[in-house]
Amino acid sequence: MPIRPLDEWAVGRTQSLPLSALKGAVVGIDAAHYINQHLVNQSTREALLGALGGFPFALRTNIEKELQTFSNLGVATIFVFNGLEFGKKEHRTQPASSRSFEQAWELYDQQQADQVVDAFSSAGMTTHYPYFNLSPVTDPWSFYRYHWAQRSFPTSADTTNPSGTPSPETLFKYLQRILTQNGVEFIVAPYSAAAQLSYLARGSNPVVDAVFAPSEALLFDIDKLVTRIDIEPAQFFWITKQTCQEELGRLSNEQFLEFCLLLGSPFLRSLPLFENPAYPGKSPTIRDALPMFNSAGRSALTLCAQYEEDRRMQELQYTDLYKRAYMIVKHHVYIDVEGRVGPMDPENTSSDMHELIGQRLPEELYFYLSKGIIGADVPNFLTTGEVRISLPLGTEDTEIYRQLVGDILTPLRTQSICLLANSLHRFYQTKVIRILPWFDENSERTINLKGIPSVKETIHSWKIHGDQFPESIKKLQAPRGSFKFAVQSLSEPDFTSKSFANRETPALSSQEDILSNVMWRFLQLRGYVDDKHKLTPWGQCLVQALSGIEPADNLEESIFVAIEMIRLGLLNTKSWFSHVSGGPMRGSEDDKTFNMLVSRVACVAKLQHKSIGYSGPLSRQLLCYRSLISQVRSALRSLVEVVLAGLLLSGDADRDRNDWTEMAIKLPFIDDNDCGLGIAVRTYLDDLPLQANPTSPEARADVKAKGKEWFQHSESFIGNLELAFKLWDAVYAGTQSTGKEFKEAKFWEDANKWLAERR
């Protein structure tokens, strides 16, 4: 997150060089900043992404193109990701941005096609260039400054969720997988990536020669900061801290730090006195803030003291917030090249830094965090004692969404939190975690770990080595570590009876063995396997659902998520979103109902699309439903990560290895889903009733032929329908194999008969 006023002021003060000037250098890249630039820059932003959900279709192609350019020019890179939360975070809503999405949907419902794309593209975007208060057409100087702003600094965006796209954090695992597959190094910082980059650039043995990061990195004494990198043409823009200090009136290092903190950053909100009450939410400007800072003797504390009676200062207790932020920056925590975790300037660090940054975790866990083995979510819950749930920008605030994130997912989160706590100090095992959703900040929802039996003990018997497998298991075609291998192996009685580990069982060593045992442990926690290592009715459901697919179908995760949605009471035809547009409109009530069910199943998978922004029909209803799937998938990812981390923390696997990141990216649930495949299915099934004989082969062929016009950039409309129907077949087969566990099997059977005549 940048210091916006500093970015705006620095317009025109950056310098540029060809990217080839960095040949032989190592560039440290702030991963969140890098992702954010892809999401908001004009050349890479996908206008309708906020209306479709999921990840940008062209993102992987764009990233790999850039990585190849770096490689061709001899520029090495190390990506640094933000880690755990630090300090107390403000959770503020974005009403203006929410309204902009509402207006975009209104335009779509009114069929204002020429305005819809621009409306969604700009929804949630906030451009902050306070000097541009005159029209660039009538004021050449403003035009000049505007031109330079576009070139050297990207448009600032709503930091909660820029332009309705995923927040950078939701793309961390996705980017880590791309980097690993392309042989590019990365590290996850214990806390702030900016602080970690400062260590890499300024340590006793510097690892990087240049830093590409948001302006907050200047708080950590980075001398030169790359502000932007372009591939076409291959060039980069940069600015020096010394330039900033000189042109701000020769500020000293200490004065520069204090002033930048007051301007607003991830460490501290901007000083209320710098803000204009007439424009709430608008960033302060250097032009207004610097004279006030100078008048206070260039001292932040003096300035705060001068206005200590101000109501806004008192309500926020801003002086205390400033002191905390100052200490957090001065003594921020990083991980060194040896894997040791500690604060900057340790000689002057106070003993209560845990009160400012957060409760300390074992160094082993910080190491797993740094390698991407475990994400930040579950450790954050333990260190902060809170599960804070915000409403992502562009997500509909519906009653079912509130129920899901506030209550339905609590048992799943509890498993993750408890399992990790079981491997940590007793301090964490007895914590009470508060659940604080945005719609109920005074919620009394809690997770009391002290009263929960050990989750770790229920799954510790899974420690099976590959050389123990009977021949029947070794002959299974499914890859080790997959859902299909896990459940098929447990269908063999001889294997199940010999699958219990004892104290003499040696630690797992091969990657295949580790991932296989992670999957068995995960499936037991989710109720597909019982404590006798036998498949439950839901396990049998999963066996049947997976039996008809091949690895090339790439549907395992989607099938598993769909079954989880069924078990959570979320995959059905309930009218949760009837207040918004985009549902089935044509045919009988049965036609509409069955269409809705099949379309919702399709939403669990991804639209097969070319590497270009989406262009086609939208559905607000299916976008709402997609948000439910996304939350379930995210919670499942957190759990499977904790299962792997817990296995390692318990010493059940050999830790003398170098395949950490490779293991992490092989865990499931990295890819988020869009609602595009659901829209394709709904559009096809909704057009059939317009035909004279909707179930005839001719009618189906005619409607499928229209798909090229509806979805111009999909890889194949017919191929997407076949993918969706293959997913339906798998999930349907599972629903018919659950015995008494699933009460709606007959309804699904009726839906399947209906679909058979129309596919």
Side-chain angles (χ1 to χ4, degrees), residues 303-472:
L303 182 58
C304 290
Q306 288 178 354
Y307 293 92
E308 61 183 355
E309 300 300 323
D310 185 279
R311 177 181 56 81
R312 293 171 295 172
M313 296 286 285
Q314 291 181 347
E315 287 177 352
L316 293 170
Q317 296 183 310
Y318 190 84
T319 303
D320 288 340
L321 292 178
Y322 169 80
K323 291 176 181 178
R324 293 173 67 92
Y326 178 85
M327 293 296 289
I328 288 172
V329 171
K330 295 291 283 188
H331 304 290
H332 209 83
V333 174
Y334 66 94
I335 184 169
D336 68 17
V337 292
E338 302 296 328
R340 294 184 295 263
V341 177
M344 297 175 169
D345 191 18
E347 294 81 8
N348 298 306
T349 301
S350 64
S351 59
D352 62 349
M353 281 305 294
H354 63 279
E355 296 288 344
L356 302 178
I357 293 180
Q359 295 289 343
R360 186 178 177 88
L361 292 166
E363 288 206 350
E364 185 179 357
L365 188 55
Y366 284 115
F367 175 79
Y368 296 146
L369 179 72
S370 75
K371 297 297 183 182
I373 290 289
I374 187 171
D377 284 350
V378 180
N380 274 332
F381 299 156
L382 283 171
T383 56
T384 64
E386 296 176 344
V387 177
R388 281 198 170 269
I389 306 168
S390 59
L391 181 69
L393 185 61
T395 298
E396 204 79 28
D397 187 356
T398 60
E399 184 59 34
I400 184 60
Y401 188 84
R402 290 186 173 195
Q403 290 176 19
L404 174 64
V405 298
D407 299 301
I408 296 174
L409 287 178
T410 296
L412 183 50
R413 289 199 193 100
T414 301
Q415 281 186 320
S416 300
I417 296 169
C418 193
L419 179 57
L420 183 58
N422 291 157
S423 298
L424 303 180
H425 189 276
R426 183 166 175 77
F427 167 79
Y428 289 108
Q429 298 175 20
T430 57
K431 291 196 76 167
V432 176
I433 312 294
R434 297 182 63 202
I435 301 175
L436 301 173
W438 78 93
F439 56 86
D440 187 7
E441 283 289 332
N442 298 315
S443 169
E444 296 183 359
R445 299 172 177 85
T446 60
I447 299 172
N448 188 346
L449 298 181
K450 188 175 183 179
I452 301 175
S454 172
V455 175
K456 175 182 170 182
E457 290 301 314
T458 64
I459 57 173
H460 78 282
S461 59
W462 290 105
K463 197 163 63 170
I464 310 171
H465 292 254
D467 54 15
Q468 297 176 265
F469 292 172
E471 286 302 314
S472 58

Side-chain angles (χ1 to χ4, degrees), residues 9-31:
W9 169 85
V11 168
R13 292 176 170 87
T14 58
Q15 303 176 61
S16 65
L17 283 171
L19 198 53
S20 57
L22 293 174
K23 182 177 181 179
V26 179
V27 180
I29 299 178
D30 183 304

Side-chain angles (χ1 to χ4, degrees), residues 594-649:
F594 292 142
N595 185 347
M596 181 180 293
L597 181 62
V598 179
S599 300
R600 285 182 174 180
V601 171
C603 269
V604 182
K606 291 172 64 71
L607 182 71
Q608 304 304 297
H609 197 273
K610 296 175 183 176
S611 296
I612 189 173
Y614 177 78
S615 174
L618 301 175
S619 169
R620 196 171 181 180
Q621 283 198 20
L622 291 177
L623 180 66
C624 290
Y625 188 71
R626 185 217 77 87
S627 67
L628 305 182
I629 301 168
S630 182
Q631 287 298 319
V632 172
R633 175 181 277 110
S634 177
L636 291 171
R637 174 69 193 191
S638 292
L639 178 59
V640 77
E641 287 177 352
V642 172
V643 172
L644 174 56
L647 184 148
L648 294 165
L649 287 165

